Amino acid sequence: EPIPLQHGAHRTGKRMDADMAKWRGYGLGQFIHWGLYSILEGKYKGKYYNGAAEWIRSWKEVPNAEYDVLNKQFNPATFNATAWAKMAKQMGVKYLTFTTKHHDGFCLWPSKYTDYTIESSPYKKDIVKEVVDAYTKEGIDVYLYFSIMDWHHPDWRYDLKTKEDSIAFDRFKLFTKNQLTELLQRYPQTKGLWFDGTWDNSWKKSGAFTDSLEQYLKSLVPGLIIGSRLRADEKGNRHVDANGVLMGDYEQGWERKIPKTYADVHGNDWDCVMTIPENGWGYAEKWMGHWKTTNELIEMTAQCVSLGGNFVVNFGPKADGSFRKEEIANAKEIGEWMKINSDAIYNCEYAGWEKQDWGYYTKKRGEDKVYMIVFNVPLSGSLKIKPSANYVVEKATLLEGKQQLSTEKLDYGASFIQLPKGKTFVKPFVIVLDIKPVKQQEEAGP
Ligand code: H79
């Protein structure tokens, strides 16, 4: 028996409109974290912060009063939104999520609801507008990242313990609604909002407000896409309501982690947002831990699309607006790979075929075409496939160069696809399978 909820999910199953269908087809996205934290570069007075660079204000070594005046230094001399958008276009991303305001509360647009904005910096110009316009011009859809938690705002509360807390937080809720209205009115090209910092008790106790806020924002922009990180139900559940139903247009919980099986995504739309270093979204001089290689990022893209999700790679530009050389190289190499292989990424979905060790299947939405994205080539040169029972494979072709590959039937509906003898592969590659549905046998009648 479902629990009756006034502020739980208002829909079961996926959103089926054209805007959401476009979102579903993106495959690859870009995240950009840029703000005052980029100035500190993950270090303070010669010491390196052992956390995510954009969280450095919360480090006890950094006095808030020193952090909060960094706006007086923010002056990105070499920032060129068109160059950013062109780099993203070459990389092959279909959507951007951009930090308009992170937890530190500094706004990259000239908000009229606070003085703590780009207008108070030496740079002065509206960065959000420059980014939205430049990416839109390149045909890349733009989503605005917005942190609810605001370390700078006097009315922000982590919890509501007293009447005074509630009064302050009511003002904060109005401030939040005003800022979001302002963003959607100033940047009408916005396709969606990416909320963050919604995990505290104050917000979890505001279920009715979060519900009305979401409905109001969607009334401002028809088709607006909002993930599962905005709302709480009236019992304080986040992402999924007390009945286990997703609240939001897609599951927004896949941060720096990727589902392993299709069962893990519970039939929801989803995307995965990923850092190139182990953790850290804003620019840090030193990247701690392992840095993902281009092939790893491509593999993560393939894995996500094979499980019906999008993959979003984060970039953290320096305070001057330039990208570190490692990120430039990743973007360029991913783009070179996408130029040849993006058929297997865009508008693709979960194929429903049993996963094999060589890599990942994706299926073109609405077409009889399955892609094998190959990362591990067996010494035998034979790749095993086992199509689902309702399909047969008619032809296997290398996507690059269109060479047809021979196949050998095995038992139990499996086949081997033979790679060309003597050919060595140095990059992940794609095999296109033309498939044909087979008539299902009628079930015997009663
Ligand atoms: O913007 C990037 C990160 O800064 C932000 N989301 C990405 C996209 C992010 N912030 N925190 N986290 C991600 C991880 C959440 C940590 C939490 Fe906690 C653990 C929230 C609640 C428990 C640490 C302890 C932070 C608050 C309390």
Side-chain angles (χ1 to χ4, degrees):
E1 270 298 284
I3 302 161
L5 290 172
Q6 227 186 321
H7 302 294
H10 301 303
R11 183 193 67 244
T12 54
K14 295 179 178 180
R15 230 177 89 172
M16 295 313 291
D17 56 282
D19 293 292
M20 204 60 206
K22 190 179 185 204
W23 185 95
R24 218 166 267 142
Y26 289 148
L28 183 64
Q30 180 187 39
F31 213 141
I32 292 185
H33 276 73
W34 201 35
L36 298 183
Y37 42 83
S38 316
I39 298 172
L40 292 188
E41 308 186 337
K43 61 184 194 285
Y44 181 70
K45 295 201 166 142
K47 280 197 206 168
Y48 289 91
Y49 176 50
N50 188 29
E54 73 283 359
W55 275 73
I56 196 167
R57 188 184 183 279
S58 69
W59 189 23
K60 63 178 183 329
E61 307 259 349
V62 179
N64 290 348
E66 275 186 50
Y67 185 97
D68 287 348
V69 295
L70 289 173
N71 60 325
K72 300 294 174 202
Q73 289 179 45
F74 195 71
N75 196 9
T78 60
F79 171 56
N80 180 339
T82 302
W84 283 19
K86 286 192 186 304
M87 177 173 117
K89 179 81 176 180
Q90 187 279 334
M91 178 179 165
V93 306
K94 293 289 190 187
Y95 68 128
L96 164 74
T97 304
F98 182 64
T99 50
T100 61
K101 177 177 92 163
H102 205 266
H103 309 331
D104 63 12
F106 182 70
C107 302
L108 289 179
W109 82 100
S111 176
K112 63 183 179 199
Y113 300 103
T114 172
D115 293 335
Y116 202 46
T117 80
I118 193 67
E119 245 180 340
S120 70
S121 76
Y123 185 73
K124 288 201 164 55
K125 284 177 281 180
D126 180 353
I127 284 175
V128 175
K129 178 170 169 48
E130 292 186 59
V131 168
V132 172
D133 287 349
Y135 277 72
T136 302
K137 201 168 163 200
E138 292 297 332
I140 298 169
D141 284 351
V142 180
Y143 292 72
L144 304 181
Y145 170 105
F146 185 93
S147 172
I148 295 291
M149 180 170 74
D150 186 325
W151 294 331
H152 185 82
H153 199 287
D155 291 330
W156 167 259
R157 293 292 181 280
Y158 294 94
D159 205 348
L160 309 177
K161 293 202 161 131
T162 64
K163 189 151 182 278
E164 285 65 38
D165 285 341
S166 295
I167 291 167
F169 205 63
D170 279 345
R171 286 193 299 265
F172 184 81
K173 285 189 275 196
L174 180 61
F175 165 71
T176 298
K177 182 179 176 183
N178 284 338
Q179 285 210 313
L180 290 165
T181 305
E182 186 180 42
L183 282 171
L184 293 180
Q185 284 174 349
R186 289 180 68 98
Y187 317 109
Q189 311 97 315
T190 302
K191 299 287 186 230
L193 297 168
W194 205 99
F195 287 100
D196 203 3
T198 51
W199 47 71
D200 286 306
N201 282 337
S202 50
W203 196 251
K204 288 199 280 188
K205 289 175 181 174
S206 305
F209 173 75
T210 68
D211 189 8
S212 67
L213 180 64
E214 184 182 73
Q215 292 186 32
Y216 161 76
L217 295 170
K218 288 189 169 189
S219 76
L220 295 182
V221 181
L224 191 74
I225 292 172
I226 297 176
S228 65
R229 235 185 246 202
L230 173 62
R231 285 179 54 196
D233 72 7
E234 61 259 50
K235 295 178 184 297
N237 296 287
R238 296 175 58 238
H239 294 283
V240 294
D241 68 16
N243 294 311
V245 185
L246 189 76
M247 295 180 287
D249 296 325
Y250 64 97
E251 157 74 74
Q252 219 184 331
W254 298 103
E255 178 164 323
R256 293 193 295 118
K257 57 182 192 227
I258 303 177
K260 291 209 169 49
T261 69
Y262 193 62
D264 293 340
V265 307
H266 305 290
N268 293 319
D269 282 313
W270 62 278
D271 71 2
C272 163
V273 294
M274 186 61 76
T275 52
I276 299 176
E278 276 174 16
N279 191 11
W281 303 77
Y283 181 78
E285 185 200 280
K286 266 203 217 171
W287 268 357
M288 279 164 285
H290 173 70
W291 303 4
K292 293 171 191 73
T293 64
T294 297
N295 281 348
E296 284 175 85
L297 294 167
I298 293 170
E299 181 157 359
M300 289 174 166
T301 309
Q303 186 179 353
C304 288
V305 174
S306 81
L307 296 173
N310 295 320
F311 184 66
V312 181
V313 187
N314 180 69
F315 291 73
K318 299 176 194 174
D320 68 4
S322 67
F323 289 93
R324 72 193 315 141
K325 63 178 191 318
E326 295 86 354
E327 289 180 352
I328 292 171
N330 285 137
K332 181 169 170 286
E333 291 160 12
I334 291 172
E336 285 163 358
W337 188 86
M338 288 290 283
K339 197 161 185 196
I340 298 164
N341 300 294
S342 65
D343 272 357
I345 300 297
Y346 300 145
N347 287 313
C348 287
E349 63 183 336
Y350 174 62
W353 296 13
E354 184 186 295
K355 182 171 177 340
Q356 304 294 331
D357 292 339
W358 42 256
Y360 306 88
Y361 293 112
T362 64
K363 182 180 178 300
K364 189 65 81 186
R365 291 181 189 277
E367 287 181 37
D368 290 333
K369 215 164 248 188
V370 162
Y371 300 90
M372 300 165 60
I373 311 180
V374 182
F375 292 86
N376 311 303
V377 177
L379 292 173
S380 65
S382 306
L383 306 179
K384 193 176 178 181
I385 62 167
K386 197 165 173 273
S388 65
N390 42 345
Y391 285 108
V392 289
V393 173
E394 300 217 296
K395 200 168 88 176
T397 324
L398 282 176
L399 179 57
E400 183 175 21
K402 307 283 177 245
Q403 182 179 352
Q404 195 171 331
L405 303 177
S406 62
T407 62
E408 181 192 353
K409 277 209 178 339
L410 303 167
D411 257 349
Y412 309 111
S415 296
F416 272 143
I417 310 261
Q418 309 293 359
L419 293 175
K421 295 243 176 322
K423 184 173 166 89
T424 32
F425 295 91
V426 293
K427 283 184 183 173
F429 61 96
V430 172
I431 297 169
V432 188
L433 303 177
D434 291 315
I435 59 173
K436 204 173 82 179
V438 287
K439 274 231 169 66
Q440 294 293 296
Q441 290 210 322
E442 297 284 328
E443 293 248 345

